[in-house]
Amino acid sequence: MQVYFFANSDSPLLGIYHPPVSGYGQQAVLLCYPTFNEYMRTHWAFRRLAGLLSEADCHVFRFDYFGTGDSTGHGSEASVERWKADVVSAFMELKDVSVVRKISVVGARFGAALATLASTDDLEIDKLVLWDPVVSGKNYLDELIALNNSRSHIFPKISDNRAVSELMGYPFSEVLGLQIEQTDLLSMAGQRAERIFLISSEDKEEYRQMGHEFTYKPISFEHHKLNETCSWQSPEGFDQALIVNQVLVKIRDVIAGQNQ
Amino acid sequence: MREKAVTFGKSSSLVGILTEPENQEKQLPAVLFWNAGLQHRVGPFRLYVDMSRKLAEMGYLVFRFDLSGKGDSELLKENILEKERAIQDIQAAMDTISQKNGKDSFVLVGLCSGADDAFPAALRDERISGLVLLDGFGYRTVGFYLHHYLPRLFRWTPWRNFIRRNLNYFFRIGKNRKNQDMLTQEVYVRDFPARSEAKADLLRLVGNGVNFLFIYSGGVRENYYNYKNQFKHMFWPIKLNEKLQVEYFSEAAHTYTRIKDRIRLMDCISTWMQKHYNSHLKNLQKD
């Protein structure tokens, strides 16, 4: 495992590269974390997923977006535009470090939305794996605000959605709010991925709509619904490490081609 | 300010981020942060990242890292107790900073389990010149019970719960419910040293010149600390002085969930650092 700062020297991002265990791999996988409290919740799961993929002879790269984790910047300066550019930078970094042509991207929650955004504009992705993706940014924001307000004894209560400077304990800006609100995976066209896998731990109408959307697109789309709870909206578990297994194994399997 | 990733320890299995100030004062101690509970080195709500950068602006070299098996650090297969491993990891971090940056003095900042790791590390290693313990060890006093129960006498909800609990017990309704103490049950039990032992060790470290800043939050109010002067009562007749400062942030949650509480915490720690180290250094330079 190599830990280092990469991208623009003025605002470097922290990246962690996991080489294939055998020393040789033909696939590379970029992991895109979720955001806000879900980033902290999934850190352990992402480390384990990176280990599983590395054992399956993949080059793996995970990184912190601008203003999150160990990367440079403050959360109040973050934007969806900036995070999308970070996905592109990390993709290029993985391409350089792995010297592999086929790169897959795995994103969880809003990280899945960012990966999809990046694939629409800039990247040619082999497999795009969306783990419980945020499909509607507006719904996601509403969920976060509801979760925030359900813990109003520890977080400032939000009454005006437009004037939020702090969400779930993290700095939050109007720009970020607007850009999240405008994110809508169903309206995105032209993803440049060979195959898209939707891995979901819950049954949602918007996931069924996604499947319906892709029947009209020239991209292979598979939906895998798993019986493993992630409880993204649980007020009690908002800061607890997410301990999952089925989801991670399924992602490993669809990436490494062991998908049955 | 510049940050770089560092791997260190046996087999380079531990991971940390070094924050280097623009102008590094050799005589200032380095500051160490590591995991609070299971959270990785960035700390709750990125507290340790913000704190590292703030302290670096004051001239401090800061190192935030993951203990073995936590965050991005690997767990080596060794037959060793977790508490002992934590101390060894902290010492490995100090060795690395000493070798690379020539530091021989360290301030440890620990929250919750981090505070539980920091105190025994200071007993073991003389390079530690300061400890900032956030919700570190604490012991219920008579005052604690008074502050806990007295306000409840005049509120309906605790009485309702008390009556309900006892009715349930009496009529054996809800057989699976445990008759819980009115004091909240902890999610996990922290293994504080015996009060007499903690007191003796605290006196010894203060005597050896170690500076202490204890900060308790309202997040442990239900568990073991709930009023401003409790520390004095816990460790009577130890007196608070230049070497031993105690603060109680009753409004703050255990993990400093609100930005304003984190700002207040950071201000408190940086003022304390300024008083004990920056100002001291200036006086030395004048002399």
Side-chain angles (χ1 to χ4, degrees):
Chain A
M1 187 174 86
Q2 293 164 25
V3 189
Y4 58 97
F5 285 92
F6 71 103
N8 187 333
S9 59
D10 289 335
S11 50
L13 306 175
L14 186 87
I16 301 182
Y17 168 63
H18 301 253
V21 165
S22 70
Y24 178 76
Q26 287 187 315
Q27 284 201 75
V29 187
L30 176 68
L31 305 186
C32 298
Y33 284 106
T35 49
F36 306 106
N37 62 309
E38 292 171 353
Y39 162 78
M40 289 301 282
R41 287 197 67 198
T42 53
H43 190 272
W44 178 86
F46 267 60
R47 181 186 158 182
R48 173 135 197 279
L49 177 60
L52 286 173
L53 289 165
S54 157
E55 283 166 13
D57 287 334
C58 296
H59 301 260
V60 187
F61 193 71
R62 55 196 168 101
F63 70 103
D64 291 336
Y65 309 111
F66 175 86
T68 74
D70 286 304
S71 284
T72 196
H74 192 259
S76 59
E77 304 160 324
S79 67
V80 173
E81 269 306 301
R82 171 70 212 233
W83 286 347
K84 184 184 126 188
D86 293 343
V87 174
V88 176
S89 298
F91 188 93
M92 295 306 171
E93 179 64 27
L94 177 57
K95 209 169 185 177
D96 285 350
V97 76
S98 65
V99 204
V100 164
R101 201 169 52 84
K102 285 193 165 186
I103 297 184
S104 298
V105 180
V106 177
R109 304 288 291 148
F110 199 70
L114 292 169
T116 310
L117 269 173
S119 78
T120 306
D121 290 349
D122 306 286
L123 306 175
E124 277 190 57
I125 294 172
D126 181 27
K127 292 169 186 164
L128 177 60
V129 181
L130 311 174
W131 168 12
D132 283 340
V134 167
V135 177
S136 156
K138 189 182 175 310
N139 290 349
Y140 174 54
L141 216 47
D142 288 345
E143 284 168 10
L144 280 178
I145 290 171
L147 190 55
N148 181 95
N149 288 348
S150 74
R151 311 288 292 177
S152 59
H153 59 295
I154 55 169
F155 298 127
K157 195 170 168 97
I158 297 166
S159 46
D160 179 1
N161 294 8
R162 292 276 168 193
V164 184
S165 61
E166 184 174 352
L167 182 59
M168 293 299 294
Y170 291 89
F172 192 78
S173 68
E174 196 179 342
V175 173
L176 182 59
L178 280 173
Q179 292 186 351
I180 289 177
E181 216 169 58
Q182 286 161 6
T183 307
D184 181 6
L185 295 202
L186 293 177
S187 70
M188 282 180 208
Q191 288 94 338
R192 295 164 72 190
E194 294 284 320
R195 300 171 75 180
I196 295 180
F197 296 90
L198 169 61
I199 312 287
S200 69
S201 67
E202 49 193 342
D203 201 14
K204 280 186 167 181
E205 176 55 31
E206 50 190 12
Y207 292 159
R208 283 194 288 275
Q209 281 179 20
M210 268 182 92
H212 183 70
E213 284 289 316
F214 278 101
T215 54
Y216 301 106
K217 289 182 181 175
I219 301 175
S220 152
F221 179 86
E222 288 178 29
H223 181 181
H224 298 269
K225 163 81 181 70
L226 303 180
N227 290 320
E228 190 165 44
T229 313
C230 292
S231 310
W232 302 110
Q233 283 92 44
S234 158
E236 289 75 30
F238 81 95
D239 62 347
Q240 287 170 9
L242 183 67
I243 309 293
V244 284
N245 187 50
Q246 275 187 46
V247 172
L248 306 184
V249 169
K250 176 56 77 178
I251 293 173
R252 191 263 325 262
D253 290 349
V254 298
I255 292 284
Q258 296 163 18
N259 187 29
Q260 299 301 320
Chain B
M1 184 208 74
R2 204 168 65 107
E3 293 195 312
K4 61 184 178 195
V6 176
T7 51
F8 65 103
K10 283 180 200 165
S11 317
S12 295
S13 59
L14 304 176
V15 174
I17 304 294
L18 189 65
T19 310
E20 296 175 319
E22 288 280 325
N23 301 307
Q24 205 179 132
E25 284 285 0
K26 280 267 176 208
Q27 286 166 292
L28 285 179
V31 185
L32 303 187
F33 295 92
W34 61 96
N35 316 80
L38 293 176
Q39 299 197 332
H40 72 297
R41 62 189 170 273
V42 303
F45 305 94
R46 240 179 150 218
L47 174 66
Y48 297 165
V49 176
D50 292 339
M51 195 75 228
S52 300
R53 293 172 185 173
K54 187 178 173 84
L55 290 171
E57 282 170 14
M58 293 167 63
Y60 292 93
L61 183 80
V62 189
F63 190 49
R64 56 179 188 271
F65 63 96
D66 288 320
L67 299 174
S68 296
K70 294 182 176 178
D72 293 310
S73 290
E74 282 173 49
L75 182 63
L76 298 179
K77 284 178 186 161
E78 288 175 315
N79 192 11
I80 182 172
L81 290 173
E82 194 181 343
K83 277 184 177 291
E84 175 60 26
R85 191 191 298 122
I87 296 174
Q88 289 185 11
D89 289 348
I90 292 165
Q91 289 185 306
M94 290 194 288
D95 292 344
T96 302
I97 303 301
S98 293
Q99 285 156 17
K100 290 191 173 175
N101 302 80
K103 293 285 182 189
D104 56 6
S105 172
F106 296 87
V107 172
L108 310 187
V109 185
L111 166 64
C112 190
S113 68
D116 298 345
D117 300 330
F119 192 68
L123 290 168
R124 177 89 61 90
D125 201 308
E126 289 182 351
R127 291 175 293 181
I128 297 165
S129 66
L131 287 179
V132 179
L133 304 181
L134 309 175
D135 288 340
F137 53 73
Y139 306 88
R140 292 175 184 177
T141 60
V142 173
F144 171 87
Y145 287 104
L146 289 175
H147 281 83
H148 185 81
Y149 286 112
L150 272 182
R152 284 167 166 76
L153 287 177
F154 305 102
R155 291 201 336 245
W156 165 238
T157 314
W159 281 110
R160 189 193 60 197
N161 292 343
F162 176 80
I163 293 165
R164 190 177 285 168
R165 222 175 12 249
N166 284 283
L167 281 177
N168 282 346
Y169 181 75
F170 189 75
F171 292 110
R172 297 188 179 277
I173 299 166
K175 283 177 186 170
N176 293 331
R177 283 185 199 164
K178 286 180 183 169
N179 191 14
Q180 288 192 336
D181 187 276
M182 275 174 80
L183 288 165
T184 305
Q185 303 296 304
E186 291 182 61
V187 176
Y188 70 98
V189 177
R190 288 173 65 190
D191 190 14
F192 294 151
R195 190 193 310 208
S196 55
E197 190 188 330
K199 188 174 169 180
D201 288 339
L202 184 61
L203 276 173
R204 181 156 73 85
L205 287 172
V206 171
N208 289 346
V210 177
N211 299 308
F212 277 90
L213 172 59
F214 284 85
I215 303 178
Y216 293 94
S217 74
V220 292
R221 159 190 311 128
E222 301 288 313
N223 307 83
Y224 64 87
Y225 200 102
N226 66 6
Y227 65 102
K228 195 170 186 300
N229 288 322
Q230 188 176 332
F231 193 91
K232 286 185 199 168
H233 300 157
M234 286 187 323
F235 294 118
W236 187 85
I238 294 179
K239 288 205 162 41
L240 303 185
N241 56 30
E242 182 77 1
K243 290 272 169 206
L244 186 56
Q245 183 178 331
V246 181
E247 301 291 340
Y248 179 45
F249 294 169
S250 62
E251 298 298 311
H254 178 54
T255 52
Y256 292 84
T257 49
R258 298 180 197 90
I259 293 176
K260 69 170 177 134
D261 291 332
R262 296 203 288 279
I263 291 172
R264 185 180 176 204
L265 175 72
M266 288 193 283
D267 286 346
C268 178
I269 295 174
S270 49
T271 305
W272 180 83
M273 295 289 293
Q274 177 80 30
K275 183 174 87 180
H276 284 283
Y277 301 101
N278 298 69
S279 305
H280 183 63
L281 180 62
K282 270 185 193 159
N283 290 339
L284 280 178
Q285 285 166 347
K286 269 185 207 165
D287 295 341

